[in-house]
Amino acid sequence: MSAPPDLSALREEALAAVAAARDLAALEEARVRHLGRRSPLAELLGSIGTLPPEQRGPVGKEGNAARRAVEQALTTRREALEAEEMGARLAAERVDVTLPGDPWPSGSLHPLTQVRREVEEIFLGMGYRIADGPEVETTYHNFTALNTPEGHPAWSLADTFFVEGRDDVILRAQTSPVQVRVMESTPPPVYVIAPGTVYRRDDVDATHSPMFHQVEGFAVDEGLSLAHLKGTLLAFMRELFGRDREIRLIPHFFPFTEPSVDVSVSWTDRHGNTGWLEVAGAGMVDPNVFRAVGYDPERWTGFAFGFGLDRIVMVRHGIPDIRLLFEGDLRFLEQFS
Ligand code: PHE
């Protein structure tokens, strides 16, 4: 006849293991060892039927009490360890929300785009609309329809980029072909500006680039005169450069305007010297251009002008070299953000 198993020793051993567990993994190990299916306590409770009858009651009662006590201790210890681990994690992952953030680089518009938009706003305010045309253009639109017949020096290979293998397709040398395209597709009156990129075989130096930008402007209506051209350009220059500006028109020649003028704006440099700065070509639309696009030159008159946008940006910001505008150097561009 065997002695009753020493339940209180099993119970003390289990409680001691629970108390000694330093983390949740060790606690789980203790649970399996002391309460699991193969633990001495479980085996004992499972074999009560083999005990002498008079021991079954007391051993069963004490065994169940021991199991409940160990379960209770496990729960309490688990809650304590969980709280400890959470505290440690919170401390380790603490974020100081009052620290300044990492700066996020932000881009800005190119100075050419900024000034182009300003120019567009001014003309939109005067009732103009904005038109566009292809940069790969026909010689018809760039020259012939603009009263510039074949053989005129402007056609020369030395000035114009021709598309290889073609004698009738070029990179447009001016924005004036947009005049032709708009008038071909729109009945008068028209008030239009056309900003865009143009190409010429210019020598590359500080003031010339083979690719640059122009803004074309033209108006066709009944009774337009050179006075309207001058008033429009004066209003524009004052809006862009300041109320105190004056403009000056000097006779010039362009094939597609008659009369033609060079337009200068008054200028004061940073030493206080005043002078005139040539900024645009302009004139009254030649009747031959109206004939080419099917407008009646007896009824309609108009003016046109074209200026270099890059030049205006350079003057505006005191930029000495046009190439700076096209190099994409951030040290330059960031000065305009
Ligand atoms: N297209 C001319 C140029 O590139 C400028 C101009 C435009 C002159 C419109 C008169 C009228 O030089």
Side-chain angles (χ1 to χ4, degrees):
M1 165 136 185
S2 57
D6 188 354
L7 266 166
S8 75
L10 286 180
R11 173 186 171 133
E12 290 317 312
E13 215 180 296
L15 289 175
V18 168
R22 287 278 141 259
D23 54 33
L24 288 168
L27 188 64
E28 175 61 8
E29 228 172 82
R31 187 192 67 77
V32 170
R33 181 136 40 84
H34 295 284
L35 281 189
R37 272 192 301 120
R38 318 256 310 269
S39 64
L41 190 57
E43 277 175 1
L44 179 81
L45 288 169
S47 62
I48 281 186
T50 67
L51 293 176
E54 71 279 6
Q55 285 182 15
R56 292 180 195 165
V59 169
K61 218 170 144 190
E62 209 186 322
N64 279 322
R67 191 178 62 193
R68 274 195 302 276
V70 176
E71 277 170 352
Q72 180 65 57
L74 272 168
T75 303
T76 309
R77 185 81 187 120
R78 177 176 300 115
E79 281 167 4
L81 286 174
E82 278 172 356
E84 226 172 76
E85 286 191 6
M86 179 61 87
R89 249 181 78 184
L90 285 177
E93 297 175 6
R94 188 210 220 93
V95 172
D96 184 350
V97 296
T98 66
L99 284 175
D102 293 330
W104 191 257
S106 68
S108 62
L109 295 177
H110 192 282
L112 265 168
T113 306
Q114 293 177 17
V115 175
R116 192 200 74 222
R117 288 190 180 180
E118 236 179 278
V119 167
E120 289 173 353
E121 282 309 316
I122 295 170
F123 279 103
L124 286 171
M126 291 197 275
Y128 284 63
R129 70 179 179 85
I130 300 168
D132 209 357
E135 289 173 25
V136 178
E137 186 53 287
T138 64
T139 51
Y140 175 78
H141 288 92
N142 192 88
F143 295 125
T144 315
L146 288 166
N147 200 36
T148 313
E150 206 161 343
H152 185 280
W155 280 70
S156 149
L157 260 179
D159 299 324
T160 306
F161 287 109
F162 277 77
V163 168
E164 213 173 335
R166 300 286 298 254
D167 60 5
D168 57 346
V169 183
I170 59 166
L171 297 184
R172 68 178 178 189
Q174 51 185 359
T175 43
S176 302
V178 184
Q179 288 186 38
V180 177
R181 289 186 175 274
V182 167
M183 288 191 280
E184 278 174 343
S185 60
T186 320
V190 291
Y191 290 82
V192 165
I193 61 159
T197 309
V198 299
Y199 303 85
R200 283 183 204 172
R201 299 171 66 103
D202 275 320
D203 280 338
V204 181
D205 63 27
T207 57
H208 291 90
S209 154
M211 184 275 304
F212 60 103
H213 302 85
Q214 288 188 329
V215 179
E216 192 80 9
F218 58 101
V220 180
D221 209 330
E222 282 170 320
L224 288 183
S225 71
L226 203 62
H228 296 107
L229 168 63
K230 187 172 183 185
T232 301
L233 288 175
L234 181 61
F236 166 67
M237 293 298 174
R238 287 184 171 176
E239 199 68 47
L240 193 67
F241 288 122
R243 291 275 128 211
D244 55 341
R245 294 312 159 124
E246 297 296 338
I247 64 168
R248 188 179 69 171
L249 308 186
I250 296 177
H252 195 70
F253 174 80
F254 295 103
F256 36 91
T257 46
E258 180 59 31
S260 301
V261 291
D262 257 347
V263 184
S264 299
V265 63
S266 61
W267 193 255
T268 308
D269 69 17
R270 63 199 133 119
H271 308 295
N273 304 316
T274 56
W276 296 98
L277 197 74
E278 212 178 285
V279 286
M284 301 306 293
V285 178
D286 193 291
N288 282 339
V289 176
F290 284 152
R291 283 185 197 103
V293 298
Y295 280 16
D296 178 1
E298 298 302 323
R299 180 171 172 202
W300 304 101
T301 53
F303 59 77
F305 54 87
F307 56 84
L309 187 60
D310 319 86
R311 182 81 187 283
I312 300 252
V313 174
M314 289 168 74
V315 167
R316 180 69 176 279
H317 293 297
I319 299 167
D321 190 328
I322 191 173
R323 292 167 293 192
L324 285 165
L325 292 171
F326 308 130
E327 284 167 349
D329 188 330
L330 286 180
R331 290 169 302 179
F332 170 76
L333 294 174
E334 278 169 353
Q335 296 175 47
F336 304 93
S337 59

Short mmCIF file of all heavy atoms in Angstrom, two decimals, residues 276-315:
data_model
loop_
_atom_site.label_atom_id
_atom_site.label_comp_id
_atom_site.label_asym_id
_atom_site.label_seq_id
_atom_site.Cartn_x
_atom_site.Cartn_y
_atom_site.Cartn_z
N TRP A 276 17.42 103.31 -72.94
CA TRP A 276 16.37 102.54 -73.59
C TRP A 276 16.84 101.12 -73.83
O TRP A 276 17.98 100.90 -74.22
CB TRP A 276 15.98 103.18 -74.93
CG TRP A 276 15.38 104.54 -74.75
CD1 TRP A 276 16.04 105.73 -74.90
CD2 TRP A 276 14.04 104.84 -74.39
NE1 TRP A 276 15.17 106.77 -74.65
CE2 TRP A 276 13.94 106.25 -74.34
CE3 TRP A 276 12.91 104.08 -74.10
CZ2 TRP A 276 12.75 106.90 -74.01
CZ3 TRP A 276 11.73 104.72 -73.79
CH2 TRP A 276 11.65 106.12 -73.75
N LEU A 277 15.95 100.21 -73.61
CA LEU A 277 16.28 98.80 -73.77
C LEU A 277 15.37 98.22 -74.84
O LEU A 277 14.15 98.29 -74.72
CB LEU A 277 16.01 98.11 -72.43
CG LEU A 277 16.64 96.77 -72.21
CD1 LEU A 277 18.12 96.94 -71.96
CD2 LEU A 277 15.97 96.11 -71.01
N GLU A 278 16.00 97.66 -75.90
CA GLU A 278 15.18 97.11 -76.99
C GLU A 278 14.57 95.78 -76.54
O GLU A 278 15.28 94.87 -76.11
CB GLU A 278 16.10 96.87 -78.18
CG GLU A 278 15.43 97.05 -79.50
CD GLU A 278 16.43 96.85 -80.63
OE1 GLU A 278 17.26 97.76 -80.84
OE2 GLU A 278 16.40 95.78 -81.24
N VAL A 279 13.24 95.69 -76.60
CA VAL A 279 12.61 94.46 -76.07
C VAL A 279 11.71 93.74 -77.07
O VAL A 279 11.39 92.57 -76.87
CB VAL A 279 11.77 94.74 -74.79
CG1 VAL A 279 12.68 94.99 -73.61
CG2 VAL A 279 10.81 95.89 -75.01
N ALA A 280 11.26 94.40 -78.14
CA ALA A 280 10.29 93.72 -79.01
C ALA A 280 10.35 94.25 -80.43
O ALA A 280 10.82 95.37 -80.68
CB ALA A 280 8.87 93.91 -78.47
N GLY A 281 9.89 93.41 -81.36
CA GLY A 281 9.62 93.85 -82.72
C GLY A 281 8.11 93.92 -82.87
O GLY A 281 7.39 93.15 -82.23
N ALA A 282 7.61 94.82 -83.70
CA ALA A 282 6.16 94.97 -83.80
C ALA A 282 5.80 95.70 -85.09
O ALA A 282 6.67 96.11 -85.87
CB ALA A 282 5.62 95.74 -82.60
N GLY A 283 4.51 95.84 -85.32
CA GLY A 283 4.06 96.59 -86.49
C GLY A 283 2.61 96.30 -86.81
O GLY A 283 1.94 95.54 -86.10
N MET A 284 2.12 96.92 -87.88
CA MET A 284 0.76 96.69 -88.35
C MET A 284 0.79 95.51 -89.33
O MET A 284 1.62 95.48 -90.24
CB MET A 284 0.21 97.93 -89.05
CG MET A 284 0.18 99.19 -88.16
SD MET A 284 -0.70 98.94 -86.59
CE MET A 284 -2.38 98.69 -87.17
N VAL A 285 -0.11 94.56 -89.14
CA VAL A 285 -0.11 93.34 -89.97
C VAL A 285 -0.19 93.72 -91.46
O VAL A 285 -1.06 94.49 -91.87
CB VAL A 285 -1.29 92.42 -89.59
CG1 VAL A 285 -1.30 91.19 -90.49
CG2 VAL A 285 -1.21 92.03 -88.12
N ASP A 286 0.75 93.18 -92.24
CA ASP A 286 0.81 93.47 -93.67
C ASP A 286 -0.43 92.89 -94.38
O ASP A 286 -0.83 91.76 -94.09
CB ASP A 286 2.08 92.86 -94.25
CG ASP A 286 2.38 93.37 -95.64
OD1 ASP A 286 1.62 93.03 -96.58
OD2 ASP A 286 3.38 94.11 -95.79
N PRO A 287 -1.06 93.65 -95.28
CA PRO A 287 -2.25 93.13 -95.99
C PRO A 287 -1.99 91.79 -96.68
O PRO A 287 -2.91 90.98 -96.81
CB PRO A 287 -2.53 94.23 -97.03
CG PRO A 287 -1.92 95.47 -96.47
CD PRO A 287 -0.74 95.03 -95.65
N ASN A 288 -0.75 91.54 -97.10
CA ASN A 288 -0.44 90.25 -97.74
C ASN A 288 -0.64 89.07 -96.78
O ASN A 288 -0.97 87.97 -97.21
CB ASN A 288 1.00 90.24 -98.27
CG ASN A 288 1.11 91.01 -99.58
OD1 ASN A 288 0.09 91.22 -100.27
ND2 ASN A 288 2.32 91.46 -99.90
N VAL A 289 -0.40 89.29 -95.49
CA VAL A 289 -0.63 88.23 -94.50
C VAL A 289 -2.14 87.96 -94.40
O VAL A 289 -2.58 86.80 -94.37
CB VAL A 289 -0.05 88.61 -93.12
CG1 VAL A 289 -0.37 87.53 -92.07
CG2 VAL A 289 1.46 88.82 -93.21
N PHE A 290 -2.94 89.03 -94.39
CA PHE A 290 -4.40 88.86 -94.36
C PHE A 290 -4.88 88.10 -95.60
O PHE A 290 -5.73 87.21 -95.51
CB PHE A 290 -5.10 90.23 -94.30
CG PHE A 290 -5.04 90.86 -92.93
CD1 PHE A 290 -5.07 92.25 -92.80
CD2 PHE A 290 -4.98 90.08 -91.77
CE1 PHE A 290 -5.03 92.84 -91.54
CE2 PHE A 290 -4.94 90.68 -90.52
CZ PHE A 290 -4.95 92.05 -90.39
N ARG A 291 -4.29 88.42 -96.75
CA ARG A 291 -4.69 87.70 -97.97
C ARG A 291 -4.34 86.22 -97.85
O ARG A 291 -5.14 85.36 -98.24
CB ARG A 291 -4.00 88.31 -99.19
CG ARG A 291 -4.65 89.63 -99.62
CD ARG A 291 -4.06 90.23 -100.91
NE ARG A 291 -4.46 91.64 -100.95
CZ ARG A 291 -3.64 92.66 -100.66
NH1 ARG A 291 -2.36 92.44 -100.38
NH2 ARG A 291 -4.10 93.89 -100.67
N ALA A 292 -3.17 85.91 -97.28
CA ALA A 292 -2.75 84.50 -97.18
C ALA A 292 -3.69 83.69 -96.30
O ALA A 292 -3.88 82.49 -96.52
CB ALA A 292 -1.32 84.43 -96.62
N VAL A 293 -4.30 84.32 -95.29
CA VAL A 293 -5.16 83.54 -94.37
C VAL A 293 -6.64 83.73 -94.70
O VAL A 293 -7.50 83.17 -94.02
CB VAL A 293 -4.92 83.95 -92.89
CG1 VAL A 293 -3.48 83.65 -92.50
CG2 VAL A 293 -5.28 85.42 -92.65
N GLY A 294 -6.96 84.54 -95.75
CA GLY A 294 -8.34 84.70 -96.16
C GLY A 294 -9.12 85.77 -95.41
O GLY A 294 -10.34 85.74 -95.37
N TYR A 295 -8.41 86.71 -94.77
CA TYR A 295 -9.08 87.86 -94.16
C TYR A 295 -9.17 88.97 -95.21
O TYR A 295 -8.25 89.14 -96.02
CB TYR A 295 -8.27 88.40 -92.97
CG TYR A 295 -8.42 87.65 -91.66
CD1 TYR A 295 -8.95 86.37 -91.59
CD2 TYR A 295 -7.97 88.25 -90.47
CE1 TYR A 295 -9.05 85.70 -90.37
CE2 TYR A 295 -8.06 87.60 -89.25
CZ TYR A 295 -8.60 86.32 -89.19
OH TYR A 295 -8.69 85.68 -88.00
N ASP A 296 -10.22 89.76 -95.17
CA ASP A 296 -10.38 90.88 -96.12
C ASP A 296 -9.56 92.09 -95.65
O ASP A 296 -9.91 92.73 -94.66
CB ASP A 296 -11.87 91.25 -96.21
CG ASP A 296 -12.09 92.43 -97.15
OD1 ASP A 296 -11.11 92.95 -97.75
OD2 ASP A 296 -13.27 92.86 -97.26
N PRO A 297 -8.44 92.40 -96.33
CA PRO A 297 -7.58 93.51 -95.87
C PRO A 297 -8.24 94.88 -96.02
O PRO A 297 -7.76 95.86 -95.44
CB PRO A 297 -6.34 93.40 -96.76
CG PRO A 297 -6.76 92.62 -97.95
CD PRO A 297 -7.95 91.78 -97.58
N GLU A 298 -9.35 94.96 -96.77
CA GLU A 298 -10.06 96.24 -96.88
C GLU A 298 -10.89 96.51 -95.64
O GLU A 298 -11.16 97.66 -95.30
CB GLU A 298 -10.99 96.24 -98.12
CG GLU A 298 -10.26 96.09 -99.45
CD GLU A 298 -9.22 97.20 -99.67
OE1 GLU A 298 -9.48 98.35 -99.27
OE2 GLU A 298 -8.14 96.88 -100.21
N ARG A 299 -11.29 95.44 -94.97
CA ARG A 299 -12.15 95.61 -93.80
C ARG A 299 -11.37 95.55 -92.48
O ARG A 299 -11.62 96.31 -91.56
CB ARG A 299 -13.22 94.52 -93.80
CG ARG A 299 -14.14 94.65 -92.61
CD ARG A 299 -15.33 93.73 -92.70
NE ARG A 299 -16.07 93.78 -91.44
CZ ARG A 299 -16.89 92.84 -91.03
NH1 ARG A 299 -17.08 91.76 -91.77
NH2 ARG A 299 -17.50 92.97 -89.87
N TRP A 300 -10.39 94.65 -92.40
CA TRP A 300 -9.72 94.40 -91.12
C TRP A 300 -8.34 95.01 -91.08
O TRP A 300 -7.62 94.99 -92.06
CB TRP A 300 -9.61 92.89 -90.85
CG TRP A 300 -10.94 92.21 -90.89
CD1 TRP A 300 -11.44 91.48 -91.93
CD2 TRP A 300 -11.94 92.23 -89.88
NE1 TRP A 300 -12.70 91.03 -91.62
CE2 TRP A 300 -13.03 91.48 -90.36
CE3 TRP A 300 -12.02 92.81 -88.61
CZ2 TRP A 300 -14.20 91.31 -89.62
CZ3 TRP A 300 -13.18 92.64 -87.87
CH2 TRP A 300 -14.25 91.89 -88.38
N THR A 301 -7.98 95.54 -89.91
CA THR A 301 -6.59 95.95 -89.68
C THR A 301 -6.14 95.29 -88.37
O THR A 301 -6.96 94.86 -87.56
CB THR A 301 -6.43 97.48 -89.54
OG1 THR A 301 -7.34 97.95 -88.55
CG2 THR A 301 -6.67 98.17 -90.86
N GLY A 302 -4.82 95.24 -88.18
CA GLY A 302 -4.34 94.59 -86.96
C GLY A 302 -2.92 94.95 -86.66
O GLY A 302 -2.20 95.49 -87.51
N PHE A 303 -2.52 94.70 -85.44
CA PHE A 303 -1.10 94.88 -85.09
C PHE A 303 -0.56 93.58 -84.54
O PHE A 303 -1.33 92.70 -84.11
CB PHE A 303 -0.91 96.04 -84.09
CG PHE A 303 -1.65 95.89 -82.78
CD1 PHE A 303 -1.17 95.05 -81.78
CD2 PHE A 303 -2.81 96.65 -82.54
CE1 PHE A 303 -1.83 94.95 -80.56
CE2 PHE A 303 -3.48 96.55 -81.32
CZ PHE A 303 -3.00 95.69 -80.32
N ALA A 304 0.76 93.46 -84.59
CA ALA A 304 1.41 92.26 -84.05
C ALA A 304 2.70 92.67 -83.38
O ALA A 304 3.29 93.71 -83.71
CB ALA A 304 1.69 91.25 -85.17
N PHE A 305 3.10 91.89 -82.41
CA PHE A 305 4.38 92.16 -81.75
C PHE A 305 4.96 90.83 -81.29
O PHE A 305 4.25 89.82 -81.15
CB PHE A 305 4.22 93.11 -80.55
CG PHE A 305 3.20 92.64 -79.54
CD1 PHE A 305 3.55 91.78 -78.51
CD2 PHE A 305 1.87 93.08 -79.62
CE1 PHE A 305 2.61 91.35 -77.58
CE2 PHE A 305 0.93 92.66 -78.70
CZ PHE A 305 1.28 91.79 -77.67
N GLY A 306 6.29 90.82 -81.11
CA GLY A 306 6.94 89.61 -80.60
C GLY A 306 8.11 90.02 -79.74
O GLY A 306 8.90 90.87 -80.14
N PHE A 307 8.17 89.46 -78.54
CA PHE A 307 9.36 89.78 -77.73
C PHE A 307 9.99 88.52 -77.15
O PHE A 307 9.35 87.47 -77.07
CB PHE A 307 9.04 90.81 -76.62
CG PHE A 307 7.93 90.42 -75.70
CD1 PHE A 307 8.16 89.60 -74.60
CD2 PHE A 307 6.64 90.91 -75.92
CE1 PHE A 307 7.13 89.27 -73.75
CE2 PHE A 307 5.60 90.57 -75.06
CZ PHE A 307 5.85 89.75 -73.98
N GLY A 308 11.26 88.67 -76.80
CA GLY A 308 12.00 87.53 -76.24
C GLY A 308 11.72 87.43 -74.75
O GLY A 308 11.99 88.36 -74.00
N LEU A 309 11.17 86.30 -74.35
CA LEU A 309 10.81 86.12 -72.95
C LEU A 309 12.06 85.98 -72.08
O LEU A 309 12.13 86.52 -70.97
CB LEU A 309 9.92 84.87 -72.80
CG LEU A 309 9.31 84.63 -71.43
CD1 LEU A 309 8.43 85.79 -70.99
CD2 LEU A 309 8.51 83.32 -71.41
N ASP A 310 13.07 85.27 -72.60
CA ASP A 310 14.31 85.07 -71.83
C ASP A 310 14.94 86.43 -71.50
O ASP A 310 15.42 86.66 -70.40
CB ASP A 310 15.30 84.23 -72.64
CG ASP A 310 14.59 83.09 -73.36
OD1 ASP A 310 14.10 83.32 -74.49
OD2 ASP A 310 14.49 81.99 -72.79
N ARG A 311 14.92 87.30 -72.49
CA ARG A 311 15.49 88.64 -72.33
C ARG A 311 14.78 89.38 -71.19
O ARG A 311 15.42 90.03 -70.35
CB ARG A 311 15.29 89.38 -73.66
CG ARG A 311 15.86 90.77 -73.71
CD ARG A 311 17.36 90.72 -73.99
NE ARG A 311 17.95 92.04 -73.88
CZ ARG A 311 17.85 92.98 -74.80
NH1 ARG A 311 17.21 92.74 -75.91
NH2 ARG A 311 18.42 94.15 -74.61
N ILE A 312 13.46 89.28 -71.18
CA ILE A 312 12.68 89.96 -70.14
C ILE A 312 13.02 89.40 -68.76
O ILE A 312 13.17 90.14 -67.78
CB ILE A 312 11.17 89.78 -70.42
CG1 ILE A 312 10.81 90.37 -71.78
CG2 ILE A 312 10.33 90.34 -69.29
CD1 ILE A 312 10.02 91.63 -71.77
N VAL A 313 13.17 88.07 -68.68
CA VAL A 313 13.52 87.44 -67.39
C VAL A 313 14.91 87.90 -66.95
O VAL A 313 15.13 88.22 -65.78
CB VAL A 313 13.48 85.89 -67.51
CG1 VAL A 313 13.97 85.24 -66.22
CG2 VAL A 313 12.08 85.42 -67.84
N MET A 314 15.85 87.96 -67.91
CA MET A 314 17.22 88.36 -67.59
C MET A 314 17.25 89.80 -67.07
O MET A 314 17.90 90.10 -66.07
CB MET A 314 18.12 88.22 -68.82
CG MET A 314 18.38 86.76 -69.19
SD MET A 314 19.15 86.60 -70.81
CE MET A 314 20.82 87.16 -70.46
N VAL A 315 16.53 90.70 -67.75
CA VAL A 315 16.48 92.10 -67.34
C VAL A 315 15.83 92.21 -65.97
O VAL A 315 16.31 92.90 -65.07
CB VAL A 315 15.69 92.91 -68.39
CG1 VAL A 315 15.34 94.28 -67.84
CG2 VAL A 315 16.49 93.02 -69.67
#
